[in-house]
Amino acid sequence: MNKKIMVLGSINVDTTYHVQRFPQPGETIAAGSKSSAPGGKGANQAVAAARSGAQTSFIGMVGADNEGKFMREALQEDHIDTRFVGIDELHGTGTALVTLDSNGQNDIMVYGGANQAMTTDVLNGTSEAFEGVDFLISQFETPQPVTAEAFRIAKEHGVTTILNPAPAHDILPEVLKYTDVIAPNDSESYGLTGIKITDEDSMLKTAEWFKQKGINYLLITLGSKGAFYSTPKAHGLVPAFKVKAVDTTAAGDTFIGALASQLDNDLSNVADALVYAQRASSLTVQKMGAMPSIPTGEEVKAALAK
């Protein structure tokens, strides 16, 4: 049966400048081209889950502007329930300025706008919507007090919560209290724990650090080295798929959304779900743009079958 996933998070319109290399401080360089696409960590994760077959709903905010209308329609095109995407009359829709070099690496500057102005009021009337939801996902492009309250409501309804602590910030204790699964990348993990990821021992120490905080399920993405997982019953490293990256934007978001679409409710199939998520992410980096590059479940399964 298809998973029922709710995402609380950011909605951005991404504008990408394509350059040969990043500019030095004080330097002006020419961009070869410019493109715009729907994005935002939350929106990307929701689309990744939906395209992999999950019944997906979204909690977020946009501005009362053309970008907001564009983003709501973009989510609806992927059959995502946008009933709880509110409209902020005072702040514009979030935007991201992406600089993309010829190696597929990016620098991103984000204007939070309506995302950062979000309050717990956005959760008014959502309680019934949590009924039957398997997983609630959130990130750090929206205020943590909203995530804390959403996670608290989720736990009342027996929903498993997944925290993607990106971009890296200190985590409010009340967010940690209601987090079941935490999924940072290696640099975010280091920022949170102070433990540098260098080998299996450092990963196990990181898992122990989070267990002390009450989180028993840890997933760390390690780029080309794959993904590490630690659960109460097992730990291991799932290798990455070797591909030539064109644009790494949304790779991590695709990973999270695709993963949630495949996880069993008891999280017993983490290793298999990670293989699927890694494959989905490897397809994303081979295309341009955030949301447009996210693969469908059929594309991921076809790639896995090769």
Side-chain angles (χ1 to χ4, degrees), residues 4 77 96 118 126 133 143 190 273 283:
K4 194 171 179 183
E77 280 174 19
M118 197 188 301
T126 62
V133 169
Y190 175 54
L283 295 176

Side-chain angles (χ1 to χ4, degrees), residues 59-72:
I59 301 172
M61 293 291 285
V62 293
D65 47 30
N66 289 333
E67 288 89 351
K69 183 172 181 288
F70 168 68
M71 287 304 303
R72 286 167 68 96

Side-chain angles (χ1 to χ4, degrees), residues 51 54 91 93 117-118 145 153 156-157 172 176 201 208 212-213 227 240 250 254 265 271 273 288-289 298 303:
R51 288 184 187 170
H91 302 88
T93 300
M118 197 188 301
I153 297 169
E156 286 182 349
H157 291 83
L172 292 179
L176 285 172
D201 185 56
E208 190 55 41
Q212 296 295 324
K213 305 287 183 187
T254 299
N265 285 43
M288 297 300 302
E298 289 75 19

